Amino acid sequence: QVQLVESGGGLVQAGGSLRLSCAASGSISSINDMGWYRQAPGKQRELVAGITSGGSTNYRDSVKGRFTISRDNAKNTVYLQMNSLKPEDTAVYYCNAVIVTRTLSIGSHWGQGTQVTVSS
């Protein structure tokens, strides 16, 4: 019983900012890597940013300097702060987490996605 719930998406103008949140809940023992992915219509899902349990981060080149991924382990939550948004950032954003449950199973879990639309 593990769920990831995303929030924070919406419609913004180019140059604006948005902060996405993804909270994990359920029978969680620990959370390893977490990440944000996005998928635009007709395109493959792509990694936007990732963060390890120790806080190491990585970003795709197109968002470096604009997006910041962070996590709050006490809240089982990962965030994506998005600044200087561009129309090409428009997509459904999904969070992902590798989670160890209290029964010691391990697996990759996805959130339901949240729509981000950037207008020009």
Side-chain angles (χ1 to χ4, degrees), residues 23-112:
S25 62
S27 184
I28 297 171
S29 177
S30 62
I31 302 177
N32 296 335
D33 293 353
M34 305 184 80
W36 287 96
Y37 295 73
R38 66 188 181 189
Q39 187 167 25
K43 294 186 177 180
Q44 298 277 175
R45 188 171 300 185
E46 63 184 21
L47 175 67
V48 178
I51 185 167
T52 69
S53 60
S56 297
T57 61
N58 66 90
Y59 303 87
R60 70 180 301 107
D61 287 344
S62 62
V63 308
K64 287 180 179 177
R66 300 189 297 121
F67 291 9
T68 303
I69 188 171
S70 62
R71 63 192 288 168
D72 185 336
N73 291 330
K75 297 181 178 179
N76 290 332
T77 299
V78 63
Y79 306 93
L80 185 67
Q81 178 67 47
M82 303 185 293
N83 299 325
S84 301
L85 283 162
K86 304 175 180 179
E88 52 260 45
D89 295 319
T90 295
V92 177
Y93 283 69
Y94 299 88
C95 65
N96 177 268
V98 177
I99 296 175
V100 180
T101 70
R102 294 187 185 276
T103 59
L104 302 184
S105 66
I106 187 169
S108 178
H109 299 265
W110 292 95
Q112 82 285 359

Side-chain angles (χ1 to χ4, degrees), residues 12-23:
V12 297
Q13 291 187 319
S17 297
L18 212 56
R19 191 190 194 209
L20 306 183
S21 300
C22 176

